[in-house]
Amino acid sequence: MIIALLSLLIYSFNSPGTLPETGSMVESTSPYFWINSGGKLILNGTEGQTIQGDLPKGDAWRTEYASSNPEDTDNGLHPQNLFRLVTKSGWDSFSEQASYYVAKDELSKSSNRDVSNGLLLMSRYRNDGQTLYYAGIRVDGTAVIKKKYQEKPGAFGTYFTMAQKQIFPGTYNKTSNPNLLPHNEWIDLKLTTVTNTDNTVTLTLYMKRAGETVWTKLLSAKDADKKYGTTPAIRGAGYAGIRTDFMDVKFDNYRLEKI
């Protein structure tokens, strides 16, 4: 099911097919989404998913990533280690939610497989992902709201942690305990991004686990000009989307709604 209005987007991933990664948003064949990392979004008729497991020999994405980013993708076996799904429509003050299902960890030797990996929602995405807010739950069991801001044209964005709290029990260890997030169950995340009348921006993260009917508020944070370094608050419309790291993940019930 797809509902696409100026104030509402609902996408249930139930039309079978594949959306491949492209080098730019205008090249994406979907009217709604752009895959800018991760190889492809697979639609199996009931849900969406990253690539699951190893790509076979001869697969074009395995060859591409073996050349362009062998470290993070295990020589091209797992492009899904860096999955980014971005909307093609811009959103200002809005609510965003999605259902996630962790099917498998990809325990890459990459130095970028670390505590910052997780199941995340992105908002006000700009500058090819160098400026944005994102929030979600991480493999170290914490919930987080972060800001990334490109302070100079052409530079990589600088990260700022706006709020963080332990949600799931356990002690993270990259080798012996690499992912404290629940596996093989659906987890719903919701992020609201709102520009206030004083030009500050408030972000609030919620979670709902399988069998629950009420959202649980996990974190809230407020951004203002020069609160995080010298960066301004990220105001105005930007793209939204989903990010996952070093996991095989399934998706359902993606929803954007203007506030």
Side-chain angles (χ1 to χ4, degrees):
M1 179 183 70
I2 304 169
I3 297 176
L5 305 170
L6 290 177
S7 60
L8 178 67
L9 172 64
I10 298 175
Y11 192 80
S12 59
F13 301 95
N14 61 356
S15 297
T18 300
L19 180 63
E21 176 186 335
T22 57
S24 67
M25 184 176 288
V26 296
E27 295 174 89
S28 176
T29 57
S30 167
Y32 310 108
F33 297 109
W34 171 39
I35 305 298
N36 79 345
S37 182
K40 51 191 169 183
L41 170 69
I42 301 167
L43 306 171
N44 64 14
T46 57
E47 68 222 2
Q49 57 186 37
T50 66
I51 294 165
Q52 303 286 296
D54 299 353
L55 283 178
K57 289 183 179 180
D59 183 276
W61 287 113
R62 177 169 172 173
T63 302
E64 169 63 28
Y65 272 94
S67 173
S68 64
N69 191 349
E71 179 188 2
D72 290 330
T73 65
D74 311 315
N75 290 313
L77 282 176
H78 308 125
Q80 67 268 35
N81 289 352
L82 302 172
F83 182 82
R84 308 290 185 268
L85 178 149
V86 183
T87 65
K88 295 178 76 172
S89 53
W91 297 80
D92 191 345
S93 292
F94 68 104
S95 171
E96 176 184 22
Q97 66 186 72
S99 301
Y100 299 78
Y101 183 101
V102 180
K104 181 177 179 288
D105 299 321
E106 294 297 350
L107 301 180
S108 171
K109 294 181 181 179
S110 168
S111 61
N112 290 315
R113 182 176 69 80
D114 58 25
V115 294
S116 66
N117 303 155
L119 308 175
L120 303 161
L121 291 166
M122 304 183 292
S123 71
R124 298 191 177 171
Y125 177 111
R126 301 173 189 162
N127 303 328
D128 288 333
Q130 298 305 317
T131 295
L132 76 159
Y133 296 115
Y134 68 88
I137 49 179
R138 308 195 327 175
V139 295
D140 63 355
T142 65
V144 70
I145 298 174
K146 297 193 77 169
K147 176 183 184 178
K148 183 180 181 184
Y149 197 88
Q150 186 183 55
E151 300 185 67
K152 296 180 180 179
F156 291 110
T158 303
Y159 290 91
F160 302 92
T161 299
M162 301 173 65
Q164 189 170 8
K165 182 173 69 174
Q166 192 79 28
I167 299 298
F168 299 104
T171 301
Y172 172 86
N173 182 282
K174 184 173 182 176
T175 302
S176 62
N177 204 13
N179 193 343
L180 305 184
L181 298 179
H183 288 49
N184 301 311
E185 72 167 76
W186 287 100
I187 301 172
D188 294 350
L189 296 176
K190 179 170 72 170
L191 173 65
T192 59
T193 305
V194 177
T195 299
N196 304 306
T197 55
D198 62 358
N199 281 327
T200 61
V201 178
T202 299
L203 297 104
T204 307
L205 176 67
Y206 304 84
M207 180 176 70
K208 187 168 56 176
R209 295 185 65 177
E212 296 178 343
T213 58
V214 177
W215 290 101
T216 298
K217 180 179 175 180
L218 300 181
L219 290 173
S220 188
K222 183 179 287 189
D223 192 16
D225 293 346
K226 297 185 179 181
K227 182 175 182 179
Y228 298 99
T230 60
T231 67
I234 307 172
R235 291 182 285 268
Y239 304 115
I242 289 172
R243 165 186 155 181
T244 66
D245 311 297
F246 296 95
M247 289 177 270
D248 296 356
V249 183
K250 301 178 183 180
F251 310 104
D252 206 353
N253 304 319
Y254 186 71
R255 181 185 180 102
L256 294 168
E257 188 167 7
K258 181 179 178 181
I259 295 176

